[in-house]
Amino acid sequence: MAAKDTYYLTTPIYYPNDIPHIGHGYTTVAADVLARWRRLRGDRVYFLTGTDEHGLNIVRAAEARGMTAQQHVDDINPRWHEVLDTLQVANDDFIRTTEQRHTSGVQSFMQRLYDNGDLYTATYSGPYCVRCEAYYTVEELIDGQLCPIHRRVVETLDQENWFFRLSKYAPDLLKLYDEHPEFVRPQSRMNEVRSFVAAGLDDISASRSAFEWGVAVPWEPGHVFYVWFDALLNYLTAAGYGSDEGDFQRRWPADVHLIGKDILRFHCVYWPAMLLAAGLAVPRQVFAHGFLLVGGEKMSKSNATGIRPAELVDHFGVDCYRYYFLREISFGQDGSFSWESMEARYTTDLANDLGNLANRVLNMVGSYCGGTVPEPAATAGGAESALAGGLGTAIEGMAAFDRLDFKKGLEDLWVGIGAVNRYVEARAPWKLHKQGASDELGRCLYTCVDALRAIAVLISPVMPDAAARLWAKLGLDEPLSGQRYPASVQPGLLPVGAEVHRGELLFPKLAE
Ligand code: MSP
C-alpha cells in the first residue's frame, strides 16, 4: 500500500452564486503562496481548490437568473478559472461538486456512516440561513431574527431529515483537541472550538427533502445530502477517495485546510467527527484566517463592498496584489483593505526598496563592468558582514512561512532587502569606480548581484512574476523553478561572468 508522501493543502470550495471577490482571492492566494513555498522547500505538493455547487443557495441564484442550477454553475465556472489565472494561482486540481468523481465518493462515504448506524431519521424545524446553508438556534441570531454572519432575516425550515450522530463524537473530538493542539490554528480559534464542543453537541441534520439539487441519498429517494456534508467531502473525493486508492493513500490526511473564520465549526467539529465515524484519519491542521474588512465591515457582495480582484490587479499588478494582503494583515486576524495602503506598499516596499535596488545595481554592473558579473576580488570586510547578517535574518525569517506567518516572513525578508540598500550606500560603488578601486568594486557589485539572486528565490512563492523577471535580468543558466530553500539562497552561488540585463523596471510608476 502507498504511504503518504505529499503535502496536501486546500482552500474552501467557494459558492459560485456570484462572481469572485477579493475575500475569496485572499484565501486562494495565501494557499498558493504556501503551495509554492512547500515546493521551494522540496516537497511534493497537491494543492486543491474548487466550487461548492449544490444547495438552496445555488438554486435561488439560478432562479434569479432564469436558469437551471446546472446552467448557472456551468455559466459561472469560467469566472473562477479566470480569477485563478489573474492571480497566478498554480493549483494542482479544481473540484466541482457536481462532478461524477465527487458525487459517487460522497455516496460511498455516507453509505459507510449509514451502515455503521451513525445516521437516523427525524423531523427538524428551526431558523435557517440560506446563505450559510445552516440552521441556527434562536440564541445565536442577532435580535432573535438575523443571521450572525450575513445579518439577513433567517427562514424557518421544517424538514424530515436524516441526522448524523454528532453528539456521540464529542469525547473523541475533545481528545483530538487535547492530543493535537496544532489541529486548529490560531490558538484563539482552538479555544473557541474547544469550548463549543465542551458545552455539549447536538446531532446535526445530514439530508434535505425540500429540493433536489444535491447528491442523492442512495437509500432514500427524494432526499439529497445536506450541502455541507457534500462540500466537506470534496477534500476526500479530490484526493482520490473512492476513485484511486493509491493517490488517496499518498495524499490523505490533508496537511492543512485553509479557511475563513466563518466556517470554523464545520471544519473543526463536523468534519473531524465525520472522518472519525468513517474510520479515516483527520486532517493535520485547520488554519482559520480573519475577514477582509472594507470600511470596517466584512467585505461581501451582499453589503456592496465586493471588490473584484481584477480591479486591483489592473492597477497594481499581480505581484503587488499577492504581496499586499500577506504583508499588511497578520494571517489569522481580521484586516482592513484600503486603496491608499496598497499604494503605499507598492511605492515604498516594491518600487523603492526592491525595484530601485535591482535597477541601481544592474545599472552599475552595466556601466562599470560591461554588464558582466565581476570577480569578488577584494576580501570581504565589515560592510560585507553587516550585509550577511541582514540576509541571514531574511533567510531564517522566511521559515515563518512554515507556520503560515507570512507577515513575519516578509518583514524579515525586507530586513534583508534593507541591508542590501544600506550596503550600497555604505560602499558607494560609484566612488570606488571613480577611485579606480577595481578589486573593491568587484567585491561590492558581486555581493550585490549575489544578494539579488537570493532575493529572487525568496520572493518567488509570493511574487512569482516579479521573481521570474528579476531572475531573467541576472542572466543565469539554471531555471528559477529548480531552486530550493534553503540550499539555493546561500551566499556565493552567483557565477562570475553572468551577463546581466537592466531591462524594464521591476515595479514601474503606477498610472495616475
Ligand atoms: N462553500 C462554503 C465552503 C465549503 S468548504 C468545504 C463557503 N463558501 S463561500 O464562498 O461563502 O466562502 C468561502 C470562503 O471565502 C470563506 O471561508 C473565506 O475563506 C473566504 N471569504 C469570503 N469572504 C471573505 C472576506 N470578506 N474576507 C476573508 N475571507 C472571505 O462558505
Side-chain angles (χ1 to χ4, degrees):
M1 194 169 341
K4 178 170 164 80
D5 64 359
T6 303
Y7 186 92
Y8 178 29
L9 79 160
T10 66
T11 70
I13 48 170
Y14 303 98
Y15 290 129
N17 52 352
D18 59 45
I19 53 177
H21 58 58
I22 59 173
H24 305 124
Y26 184 56
T27 326
T28 311
V29 165
D32 185 58
V33 168
L34 183 59
R36 289 178 188 265
W37 167 251
R38 298 304 323 187
R39 291 186 200 114
L40 185 62
R41 265 208 170 286
D43 289 347
R44 173 203 290 262
V45 171
Y46 192 64
F47 165 28
L48 172 72
T49 187
T51 41
D52 185 357
E53 304 194 340
H54 288 134
L56 200 47
N57 218 349
I58 301 297
V59 174
R60 299 264 168 95
E63 276 167 3
R65 299 178 71 207
M67 290 178 169
T68 65
Q70 189 67 56
Q71 283 168 338
H72 167 74
V73 294
D74 288 346
D75 183 66
I76 296 270
N77 184 258
R79 299 283 94 74
W80 290 83
H81 289 283
E82 272 164 33
V83 166
L84 296 176
D85 286 348
T86 304
L87 299 179
Q88 297 190 349
V89 172
N91 51 305
D92 298 291
D93 196 356
F94 186 102
I95 190 154
R96 298 179 59 182
T97 54
T98 46
E99 288 172 54
Q100 178 63 33
R101 64 169 168 159
H102 178 72
T103 54
S104 59
V106 169
Q107 287 179 325
S108 60
F109 181 95
M110 294 304 285
Q111 185 72 49
R112 203 152 150 183
L113 262 50
Y114 177 74
D115 294 343
N116 290 348
D118 275 321
L119 298 173
Y120 64 92
T121 178
T123 301
Y124 189 81
S125 170
Y128 190 84
C129 172
V130 176
R131 286 280 172 124
C132 296
E133 295 280 13
Y135 280 109
Y136 283 96
T137 61
V138 177
E139 298 75 53
E140 286 171 323
L141 300 176
I142 300 173
D143 299 333
Q145 56 171 351
L146 302 181
C147 160
I149 306 277
H150 295 98
R151 294 163 189 269
R152 290 159 53 102
V153 178
V154 292
E155 304 175 15
T156 301
L157 201 65
D158 223 355
Q159 289 185 58
E160 155 119 315
N161 287 169
W162 282 91
F163 276 76
F164 169 56
R165 294 189 197 282
L166 179 66
S167 55
K168 175 176 148 190
Y169 290 95
D172 290 338
L173 289 172
L174 291 172
K175 187 160 169 265
L176 165 69
Y177 306 149
D178 288 343
E179 288 175 0
H180 296 279
E182 74 294 346
F183 176 65
V184 184
R185 279 284 169 266
Q187 184 62 42
S188 57
R189 300 288 163 219
M190 172 54 115
N191 300 343
E192 200 180 314
V193 166
R194 202 182 189 296
S195 45
F196 175 74
V197 175
L201 293 174
D202 292 329
D203 292 344
I204 51 168
S205 107
S207 74
R208 296 284 181 269
S209 53
F211 56 88
E212 292 169 359
W213 185 240
V215 179
V217 176
W219 60 88
E220 176 79 80
H223 282 233
V224 293
F225 289 112
Y226 171 37
V227 67
W228 267 102
F229 277 79
D230 167 351
L232 289 162
L233 286 166
N234 92 88
Y235 302 133
L236 288 189
T237 57
Y241 176 84
S243 57
D244 188 324
E245 196 50 29
D247 279 349
F248 185 61
Q249 298 296 338
R250 276 190 291 276
R251 294 169 186 157
W252 195 257
D255 291 84
V256 62
H257 294 313
L258 295 191
I259 61 163
K261 65 179 185 181
D262 47 341
I263 51 179
L264 188 71
R265 201 175 287 178
F266 297 102
H267 283 81
C268 303
V269 182
Y270 302 174
W271 180 225
M274 287 163 64
L275 291 163
L276 289 167
L280 291 170
V282 302
R284 292 183 173 164
Q285 186 166 90
V286 178
F287 194 108
H289 64 69
F291 286 152
L292 286 190
L293 310 173
V294 175
E297 289 275 316
K298 180 190 177 205
M299 203 213 53
S300 71
K301 170 106 182 296
S302 53
N303 66 16
T305 53
I307 301 169
R308 285 181 310 109
E311 293 174 51
L312 299 178
V313 170
D314 286 350
H315 187 72
F316 295 102
V318 61
D319 293 304
C320 179
Y321 182 105
R322 294 172 57 104
Y323 172 77
Y324 168 78
F325 290 104
L326 296 182
R327 172 72 191 258
E328 189 77 12
I329 302 167
S330 247
F331 201 61
Q333 313 291 313
D334 286 352
S336 292
F337 160 79
S338 81
W339 188 270
E340 292 73 20
S341 64
M342 197 158 177
E343 206 163 58
R345 286 285 174 203
Y346 184 94
T347 307
T348 309
D349 302 5
L350 300 184
N352 289 350
D353 294 349
L354 178 55
N356 278 353
L357 172 67
N359 192 47
R360 234 174 143 191
V361 166
L362 298 179
N363 197 20
M364 288 189 283
V365 178
S367 313
Y368 307 153
C369 315
T372 53
V373 171
E375 193 87 43
T379 40
E384 281 76 23
S385 4
L387 170 61
L391 286 175
T393 301
I395 295 169
E396 279 167 37
M398 282 290 286
F401 278 37
D402 286 350
R403 26 174 231 282
L404 281 67
D405 192 347
F406 304 112
K407 187 173 163 63
K408 174 77 170 95
L410 288 171
E411 278 164 6
D412 282 350
L413 177 48
W414 254 254
V415 168
I417 292 171
V420 191
N421 273 309
R422 274 194 304 283
Y423 174 74
V424 173
E425 286 306 313
R427 297 297 277 141
W430 49 93
K431 284 192 192 152
L432 298 174
H433 173 68
K434 232 181 197 163
Q435 294 159 0
S438 60
D439 285 2
E440 296 281 306
L441 181 66
R443 159 58 65 193
C444 173
L445 289 179
Y446 178 89
T447 305
C448 291
V449 182
D450 190 42
L452 287 178
R453 182 193 172 284
I455 289 166
V457 177
L458 291 170
I459 63 171
S460 66
V462 180
M463 299 191 283
D465 200 61
R469 287 182 288 122
L470 178 54
W471 191 259
K473 289 173 190 291
L474 303 183
L476 300 163
D477 291 334
E478 26 163 15
L480 177 57
S481 59
Q483 308 306 306
R484 292 290 169 262
Y485 172 93
S488 314
V489 294
Q490 302 306 317
L493 294 176
L494 176 74
V496 171
E499 277 186 48
V500 307
H501 316 274
R502 180 181 162 198
E504 311 225 314
L505 291 176
L506 269 185
F507 298 100
K509 205 168 174 332
L510 290 171
E512 287 299 317

